[in-house]
């Protein structure tokens, strides 16, 4: 048995206490062996504070209160090796406590002191059948977040949803609008980053939750595109996510020599318990969010979405704000949306000048690598007219710019050949926007290899100022 279970049993041997919830479920599903149970939920019939402090002493761990209102405590081992959440018995009996839980697979208890499992709602049978079933019809009324958790557990655990349970969730779907946004986002994140994210999002949609949890995604349905696309915006968005997931699984198939470096970057933690890969998945879901609002038809009959990247950045930022995401995640996903078209605009300029490469890297910083990957996934999901040739050209340029973006990220911007105050003094121009524009031009010329010394930079600046005067 695991260290967490041993410590808990030793500390609470004199208590009426039961192991409940996910640890039992996952063990019965074969997802974790008994020795791997390091995240436990325990129900205590007595004083949870005293029990938590006793467990902390036995396990040489730290105990702290999670909720004064509900009497919940958490004990965490040094270094986060294991964790035990202790909650008070919610009824006069353990059977009554289990009756208040969400799904039968989570409504199984095992006495810490030993003895048969307590399974009043046949949760073990549902586990054997790989089925998610509500404990009672009141489960969703008691906590409307359970409607979204139903989809999350189904996709994470690869379980089928009992039809009566699905019907009850649909009937109570609107209640999720009253749930705190932070709780909704916590469940949504886990769906979006799951291996079976596409199935999870399909379940969210089937349970009538998409328009309530992520209305920006629901609004894309039936928005038709030009003949360069083979799907409406909603299905194209999901296809982009599917391509992104495939790139995560096998980056070498598309990204070639850059696969390992990209995979390492996307594995880095970013914000809100998401890696850069997780944030990129939200970028895929929101990159075309403004297409419904920007759709137009040109005199030629071609469908257009002018400025959807800029307006989409605003929508993405607002959507994640509504979900109470951090400022860092909001800004990151907004930047992905704002810049996702840049690579495509450059395809017809190949071979790219060094100046064009600089402008791409400078404009898309700090998401240059991420947005290049998003652009590749977006292009792979676009298979309308002339798709094969367009995809081949896009991928060729994408791989080129990935190499540039990875080097830019590793090395950073080159130190400027001249400082602003130096330039101001030499040219007798006061500090301000004009000096800033000159410095930007010099930085671009330096990246392109046109100037390499301070003297050359100053000479170029003088030429620019003189040309302005004679223009």
């Amino acid at each position: 048995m695991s260290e967490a279970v041993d410590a808990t049993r030793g500390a609470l041997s004199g208590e009426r206490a039961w192991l409940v919830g996910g640890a039992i479920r996952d063990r019965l599903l074969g997802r974790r062996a008994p020795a791997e149970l390091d995240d436990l939920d325990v129900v205590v019939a007595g004083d949870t504070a005293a029990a938590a402090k006793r467990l902390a002493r036995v396990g040489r761990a730290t105990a702290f209160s999670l909720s004064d209102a509900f009497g919940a405590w958490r004990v965490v081992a040094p270094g986060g090796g294991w964790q035990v959440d202790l909650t008070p018995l919610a009824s006069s009996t353990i059977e009554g406590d289990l009756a208040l839980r969400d799904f039968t697979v989570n409504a199984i208890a095992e006495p810490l002191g030993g003895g048969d499992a307590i399974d009043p709602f046949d949760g073990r049978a549902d586990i054997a059948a790989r089925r998610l079933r509500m404990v009672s019809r009141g489960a969703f009324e008691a906590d409307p977040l359970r409607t979204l958790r139903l989809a999350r557990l189904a996709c994470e655990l690869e379980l089928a949803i009992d039809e009566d349970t699905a019907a009850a969730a649909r009937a109570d779907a609107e209640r999720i609008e009253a749930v705190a946004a932070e709780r909704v986002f916590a469940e949504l994140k886990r769906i979006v980053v799951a291996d079976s994210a596409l199935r999870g999002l399909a379940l969210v949609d089937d349970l009538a939750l998409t328009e309530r949890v992520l209305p920006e995604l629901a609004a894309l349905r039936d928005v038709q595109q030009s003949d360069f696309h083979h799907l409406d915006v909603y299905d194209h968005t999901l296809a982009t996510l599917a391509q992104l997931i495939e790139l995560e699984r096998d980056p070498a198939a598309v990204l070639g020599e850059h696969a390992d470096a990209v995979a390492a970057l996307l594995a880095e933690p970013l914000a809100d318990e998401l890696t850069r890969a997780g944030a990129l998945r939200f970028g895929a879901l929101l990159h075309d969010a403004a297409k419904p609002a920007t759709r137009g038809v040109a005199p030629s009959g071609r469908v257009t979405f002018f400025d959807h990247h800029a307006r989409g950045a605003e929508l993405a930022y607002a959507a994640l704000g509504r979900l109470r995401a951090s400022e860092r995640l909001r800004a990151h996903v907004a930047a992905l949306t704002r810049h996702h078209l840049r690579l495509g605009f450059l395809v017809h300029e190949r071979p790219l000048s060094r100046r064009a490469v600089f402008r791409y890297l400078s404009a898309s910083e700090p998401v240059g690598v991420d947005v290049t990957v998003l652009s590749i996934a977006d292009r792979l999901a676009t298979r309308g007219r002339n798709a094969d040739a367009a995809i081949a050209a896009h991928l060729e340029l994408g791989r080129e710019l990935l190499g540039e973006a990875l080097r830019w990220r590793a090395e950073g911007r080159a130190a400027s050949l001249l400082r602003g105050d130096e330039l101001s003094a030499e040219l007798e121009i006061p500090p301000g926007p004009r000096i800033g524009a000159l410095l930007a031009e010099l930085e671009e010329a330096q990246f392109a290899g046109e100037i390499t010394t301070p003297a050359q930079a100053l000479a170029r600046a003088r030429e620019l100022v003189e040309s302005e005067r004679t223009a």
Side-chain angles (χ1 to χ4, degrees):
M1 195 60 70
S2 73
E3 182 181 350
V5 173
D6 288 343
T8 304
R9 282 180 172 168
L12 306 184
S13 59
E15 298 272 0
R16 290 177 58 224
W18 301 264
L19 181 65
V20 297
I24 298 175
R25 178 200 69 215
D26 288 354
R27 189 187 71 226
L28 294 176
L29 283 169
R31 294 173 61 86
R32 290 193 290 180
E36 297 171 336
L37 298 178
D38 54 8
D39 186 355
L40 309 181
D41 291 301
V42 173
V43 169
V44 180
D47 185 339
T48 52
K53 292 172 184 176
R54 190 160 57 254
L55 173 55
R57 287 195 298 272
V58 171
R60 297 180 180 179
T62 302
F64 53 91
S65 173
L66 287 176
S67 168
D68 291 336
F70 297 101
W73 279 69
R74 175 169 292 170
V75 180
V76 179
W82 52 264
Q83 171 182 299
V84 179
D85 286 349
L86 300 96
T87 55
L89 192 65
S91 181
S92 58
T93 65
I94 186 59
E95 290 81 4
D97 182 290
L98 297 175
L100 301 174
R101 295 180 179 268
D102 50 8
F103 308 112
T104 61
V105 298
N106 294 331
I108 305 169
E110 293 180 354
L112 277 178
D116 294 336
I118 301 162
D119 182 16
F121 303 102
D122 292 327
R124 286 175 295 184
D126 286 329
I127 286 174
R130 304 198 67 82
R131 176 176 56 227
L132 269 176
R133 183 168 57 88
M134 59 190 172
V135 167
S136 70
R137 180 61 186 82
F140 301 120
E141 295 178 8
D143 184 359
L145 184 66
R146 290 170 172 175
T147 56
L148 187 58
R149 187 176 300 142
L150 178 63
R152 191 261 293 174
L153 287 172
C155 82
E156 280 189 342
L157 304 177
E158 300 179 354
L159 302 179
I161 298 176
D162 164 72
E163 185 47 47
D164 288 343
T165 301
R170 290 187 203 102
D172 284 338
E174 65 180 18
R175 292 175 179 269
I176 201 167
E177 295 174 8
V179 176
E182 294 87 347
R183 299 182 68 214
V184 171
F185 189 40
E187 295 289 343
L188 182 61
K189 282 187 296 184
R190 291 181 65 170
I191 292 171
V192 171
V193 303
D195 291 341
S196 302
L198 292 165
R199 177 175 179 249
L201 290 169
L203 291 171
V204 170
D205 204 50
D206 180 63
L207 297 174
L209 293 168
T210 306
E211 59 267 35
R212 297 176 170 93
V213 171
L214 199 59
E216 294 80 5
L217 179 60
L220 306 181
R221 203 184 309 274
D222 297 325
V223 178
Q224 299 303 316
Q225 308 195 77
S226 73
D227 58 359
F228 290 101
H229 286 264
H230 66 302
L231 300 169
D232 70 7
V233 182
Y234 180 84
D235 287 330
H236 166 74
T237 294
L238 294 180
T240 300
L241 177 60
Q243 291 292 341
L244 194 59
I245 293 171
E246 189 58 35
L247 281 171
E248 291 175 22
R249 289 173 180 161
D250 186 11
V254 173
L255 306 184
E257 63 180 305
H258 306 305
D260 290 345
V262 170
L265 174 67
L266 295 183
E268 292 178 2
L270 181 80
D272 299 0
E273 300 178 322
L274 291 173
T275 63
R276 295 180 82 99
L280 194 53
R281 291 193 183 192
F282 275 97
L285 289 175
L286 294 169
H287 77 285
D288 279 345
K291 278 193 169 179
T294 59
R295 188 180 188 276
V297 181
S300 64
R302 181 178 176 180
V303 176
T304 63
F305 300 100
F306 293 129
D307 210 32
H308 80 271
H309 56 294
R311 293 180 63 180
E314 297 171 358
L315 274 177
Y317 187 85
L320 290 170
R322 185 186 66 248
L323 291 166
R324 299 294 189 269
S326 68
E327 173 61 26
R328 185 176 187 192
L329 182 64
R330 296 173 71 188
H332 187 89
V333 175
L336 292 174
T337 303
R338 182 177 298 106
H339 300 301
H340 79 275
L341 296 179
R342 284 188 181 275
L343 195 158
F345 288 155
L346 294 175
V347 168
H348 300 295
E349 295 184 22
R350 295 176 302 151
L352 293 190
S353 69
R354 296 303 294 165
R355 282 178 170 267
V357 171
F358 175 84
R359 288 192 289 270
Y360 179 84
L361 298 175
S362 181
S364 61
E365 190 178 22
V367 298
V369 176
D370 316 67
V371 80
T372 303
V373 175
L374 175 59
S375 179
I376 288 171
D378 190 16
R379 179 66 259 188
L380 287 169
T382 305
R383 294 187 175 273
R385 180 161 61 91
N386 197 38
D388 290 343
I391 288 172
H394 199 102
L395 293 186
E396 181 181 348
L397 182 58
R399 286 188 285 264
E400 177 186 340
L401 288 174
L402 267 180
E404 297 282 3
L406 287 164
R407 280 191 293 275
W408 178 283
R409 180 172 175 81
E411 299 170 6
R413 289 174 178 262
S416 297
L417 295 171
L418 286 175
R419 299 194 311 268
D421 61 333
E422 293 172 329
L423 196 59
S424 179
E426 289 286 349
L427 300 179
E428 297 182 349
I429 297 174
R434 194 176 181 195
I435 291 295
L438 286 170
L439 287 171
E441 168 61 25
L442 294 177
E443 186 179 16
E444 187 172 312
Q446 181 182 348
F447 181 90
E450 298 168 10
I451 56 176
T452 58
T453 68
Q456 290 174 342
L458 182 57
R460 176 64 63 88
R462 290 189 190 280
E463 291 173 7
L464 292 169
V465 170
E466 184 60 30
S467 66
E468 290 172 5
R469 288 174 181 162
T470 59

